[in-house]
Amino acid sequence: MGNILEVKDLRKNFKSFALKGISFTLPKGYVMGFIGPNGAGKSTTIKLIMNLLKKDGGQIKVLGKDHIKYEKEIKNHIGFVYDENHFYEELTLREMKTIIAPFYKTWDEKIFDKYMKIFELPLEKKIKELSKGMKMKFSLAIALSHDAKLLIMDEPTSGLDPIFRSELLDILREIIQDDEKSVFFSTHITSDLEKIADYITFIHDGQIILSNTKDDILDNYCIVKGGLDLLDKDAQKAFVGIRKNNYGFEGLVENRGKVRELFKENIVIEKPSLEDIMLYIVRGSQYA
Amino acid sequence: MRIIISHSSSEPIYKQIVYQLKELILKGQLKAGDALPSIRNLAKELQISVITTKRAYEELEREGFIQTVQGKGSFVATHNKEMLKKKKYSIVEEKLMEAVLAAKSLELTWNELIEILQQLYDKEA
Amino acid sequence: MLNLILKDLLVQKKSMLFAFGYCFFLVFAFQGLDGTAPVGAATAVVYLLIQYSFAHEDKNKSEIMLNSLPISRKDIVIAKYLSIFLYIGLAMVAYMLATLIVMAIKIPVKVHFLSIENITTTLFIVSLMTSSYLPVVFKLGYLKAKMFNIVMFLLFFFIPMSLLSLSQNPEFALSISKTLDGFANWSDWQIATLIAGISLLMMFISCCISIRIYNNREF
């Protein structure tokens, strides 16, 4: 098996923000969702992986190899999808492809043509004439046409409509039918990941809050709702984050098993969404 | 073969798959040697993550319902009639245990419990 | 590498047409100035093309895209330097075409042909300009380098002027003319080769510096 992506104790200091030694691992053949609020360090981490930013410490391995020592080789195996258009607007799609294709050892023209057809992209149009969704699709087509082992996507769904987002997820499902391929996907729209992601890594304020399989995360955490009279000091400690109103409370608990011990009755337990977990953890740390 | 997943159920998704596949096997709708969809294909069809289906298959394998052959995929395991019967029993036993516990805590007698069971069985028939 | 240069040309299709038109205009504008016409026109065109090529990189932060492809940063830098020579060639061709057209349609304008001297002078000026400018762009990016660009433009304007006033100084003038005397018995070819050599050396050193700078650049 082995890991497609390993990040260990990664550090980067900026004037007003720092990545404080983050670590996580993505096993080969799976999808990892990289979530967190804006400014949490998602893009910084991705840029460090791509060596667009220079790390201050730590280690990054792609396909088991150091990402700087084997930079060129690794980039041959990475398909990178950007959060905005970085192609030359004046060029047509065909011209842009002609320039990019020869850089990849494993470029496959047939696959590219296939995606251009599926995405209904006009080869002779200039990039600046495309809609945002189409630019995104073009970026994806390029990323998918050289048999990339790892697809890295930085906020690919931001600013796109739900229909396109669901199309994108279908494409990703298709890609991972090949168990050699993995996807690392950053987003702040967690509902995109709810279904497809195998692993979730949650970053907040330059630190990893959780990194685990999505199933474990969703099975462990639960939302508890009940009357205010139930909330004594001990009970309150069990919550990661809590919200009270005049008629009751609602909070996130990390250990589902513990809830029944704490509250015998009169509570409602619900399955949280990833968004619930993200919100409570971020808010919880703000008011702690 | 029919599998229905509910995202709003409190039952974890992998357990829903395990339960439904078991049912299909015990009812004989899936027979010994039948090929199951690949983990990745099932995940795609059900629009759930690969790890979730993998976990379900692992559980089914552990309980002896299916077998996975490297490079070939997963198949319904061959098991003798005796074992199948045992498995059927164990599913019913589990449910009946709940009923027995409930009956005891409400202080129902054995005869009363049997009577209820008889009535329910006849009603469903 | 070739692909990177091709990319610069494709991106600049429109700018090149413009540059050619500009060349045409300069043939008229510089008609009174003897040797300055071809040198001035060629330098201006090269300058424009370099500026445009960096402006296009900056427009959509395309360097992010380039640097996520399997290309080493060294190649990106070298390609930019090599493309300069291509621009010089293109500028010369454009200038010659412009003069030929002017002559063909018999516009009463005094045109100047390119000489070896013109070519080496252009090479020298362009080298001086780009070898100081490119490391700055590779460090800061096109937009931030713009300030430097303006300063440099002014310097190029003032340095010849101040040199001119310096030459009024008799002592300085004497030392210059002594140095020049040394070259007096050199042939045109020898001087051209020397200047070309110096130009290439400047470009080479600048290129090495740029590679080091660009290797540490963050996007």
Side-chain angles (χ1 to χ4, degrees), chain C residues 17-210:
Chain C
L17 275 178
F18 175 74
F20 179 69
Y22 187 61
C23 222
F24 209 72
F25 163 77
L26 287 179
V27 172
F28 288 94
F30 286 164
Q31 56 173 312
L33 305 159
D34 201 19
T36 328
V39 174
T43 313
V45 167
V46 174
Y47 175 81
L48 277 179
L49 290 177
I50 291 168
Q51 289 292 319
Y52 281 136
S53 106
F54 280 108
H56 283 297
E57 301 292 359
D58 229 50
K59 194 167 174 196
N60 286 311
K61 296 188 187 153
S62 296
E63 280 167 291
I64 291 182
M65 188 265 300
L66 278 187
N67 279 289
S68 51
L69 298 175
I71 309 174
S72 68
R73 294 192 177 196
K74 192 172 101 184
D75 288 352
I76 295 176
V77 174
I78 294 175
K80 279 276 187 246
Y81 275 86
L82 288 180
S83 67
I84 290 168
F85 293 105
L86 187 66
Y87 298 155
I88 293 177
L90 283 172
M92 305 270 176
V93 171
Y95 178 80
M96 286 201 285
L97 273 176
T99 52
L100 284 177
I101 290 171
V102 166
M103 281 179 46
I105 51 179
K106 296 195 171 117
I107 300 174
V109 162
K110 202 179 152 213
V111 291
H112 311 276
F113 285 110
L114 274 173
S115 64
I116 301 262
E117 191 193 332
N118 293 154
I119 295 174
T120 40
T121 317
T122 308
L123 180 67
F124 183 73
I125 294 179
V126 169
S127 300
L128 200 62
M129 181 172 76
T130 50
S131 58
S132 51
Y133 176 57
L134 260 58
V136 181
V137 196
F138 280 119
K139 172 92 189 165
L140 302 173
Y142 170 73
L143 273 183
K144 283 187 198 159
K146 243 184 170 168
M147 259 318 279
F148 176 85
N149 203 356
I150 293 166
V151 172
M152 205 178 65
F153 187 78
L154 292 177
L155 279 180
F156 266 90
F157 198 69
F158 284 119
I159 286 178
M161 300 279 270
S162 50
L163 275 182
L164 209 71
S165 58
L166 248 179
S167 63
Q168 311 292 338
N169 179 332
E171 247 174 77
F172 184 78
L174 196 71
S175 69
I176 287 286
S177 67
K178 259 189 193 159
T179 326
L180 288 179
D181 280 347
F183 290 115
N185 39 18
W186 284 39
S187 74
D188 278 359
W189 275 108
Q190 280 172 315
I191 293 176
T193 315
L194 178 73
I195 292 178
I198 293 172
S199 306
L200 291 181
L201 186 68
M202 275 195 303
M203 293 283 263
F204 177 75
I205 293 169
S206 164
C207 185
C208 292
I209 295 170
S210 290

Side-chain angles (χ1 to χ4, degrees), chain A residues 31-167:
Chain A
V31 179
M32 179 180 274
F34 192 40
I35 63 172
N38 286 332
K42 297 191 295 289
S43 281
T44 303
T45 306
I46 287 180
K47 282 184 172 176
L48 286 166
I49 295 172
M50 293 306 291
N51 197 25
L52 293 168
L53 289 173
K54 303 285 168 182
K55 65 187 175 196
D56 290 333
Q59 203 178 36
I60 298 173
K61 280 186 180 173
V62 179
L63 284 158
K65 287 178 172 166
D66 185 85
H67 77 135
I68 290 176
K69 217 164 156 191
Y70 296 92
E71 184 170 359
K72 220 165 157 176
E73 184 189 334
I74 281 169
K75 283 183 175 170
N76 252 308
H77 295 301
I78 294 181
F80 189 27
V81 177
Y82 325 89
D83 54 346
E84 51 190 301
N85 175 42
H86 291 306
F87 295 116
Y88 299 100
E89 284 191 329
E90 293 74 14
L91 300 183
T92 64
L93 302 191
R94 184 190 299 280
E95 286 168 336
M96 194 70 244
K97 184 265 305 177
T98 310
I99 285 166
I100 289 175
F103 290 118
Y104 287 107
K105 275 187 201 149
T106 47
W107 182 268
D108 189 331
E109 197 69 28
K110 273 186 203 137
I111 297 179
F112 179 76
D113 288 341
K114 186 187 93 183
Y115 280 114
M116 294 302 276
K117 280 211 185 83
I118 294 176
F119 296 162
E120 299 177 328
L121 291 170
L123 264 172
E124 307 305 335
K125 262 201 178 173
K126 286 188 176 177
I127 289 165
K128 65 178 165 198
E129 293 165 33
L130 302 185
S131 67
K132 178 151 194 204
M134 286 168 107
K135 281 179 195 163
M136 174 73 228
K137 282 180 181 174
F138 179 63
S139 178
L140 196 60
I142 294 274
L144 295 176
S145 298
H146 61 275
D147 193 31
K149 299 277 180 282
L150 173 62
L151 200 58
I152 297 182
M153 302 198 286
D154 190 3
E155 298 273 0
T157 54
S158 67
L160 297 175
D161 62 70
I163 295 166
F164 177 75
R165 298 216 311 261
S166 129
E167 260 179 70

Side-chain angles (χ1 to χ4, degrees), chain B residues 54-69:
Chain B
K54 195 166 174 246
R55 197 165 162 197
Y57 275 33
E58 277 167 2
E59 178 125 342
L60 285 166
E61 216 179 322
R62 214 173 14 250
E63 292 184 33
F65 282 89
I66 65 169
Q67 278 173 330
T68 301
V69 185

Side-chain angles (χ1 to χ4, degrees), chain B residues 18-70:
Chain B
V18 168
Y19 187 81
Q20 292 182 46
L21 279 177
K22 264 191 202 172
E23 211 172 56
L24 288 168
I25 294 171
L26 291 175
K27 280 183 180 165
Q29 286 177 356
L30 282 175
K31 294 191 177 58
D34 281 357
L36 292 168
S38 78
I39 289 173
R40 284 173 191 273
N41 187 257
L42 187 64
K44 181 184 145 203
E45 295 298 326
L46 298 177
Q47 307 208 343
I48 55 177
S49 73
V50 173
I51 264 193
T52 310
T53 32
K54 195 166 174 246
R55 197 165 162 197
Y57 275 33
E58 277 167 2
E59 178 125 342
L60 285 166
E61 216 179 322
R62 214 173 14 250
E63 292 184 33
F65 282 89
I66 65 169
Q67 278 173 330
T68 301
V69 185
Q70 267 303 332

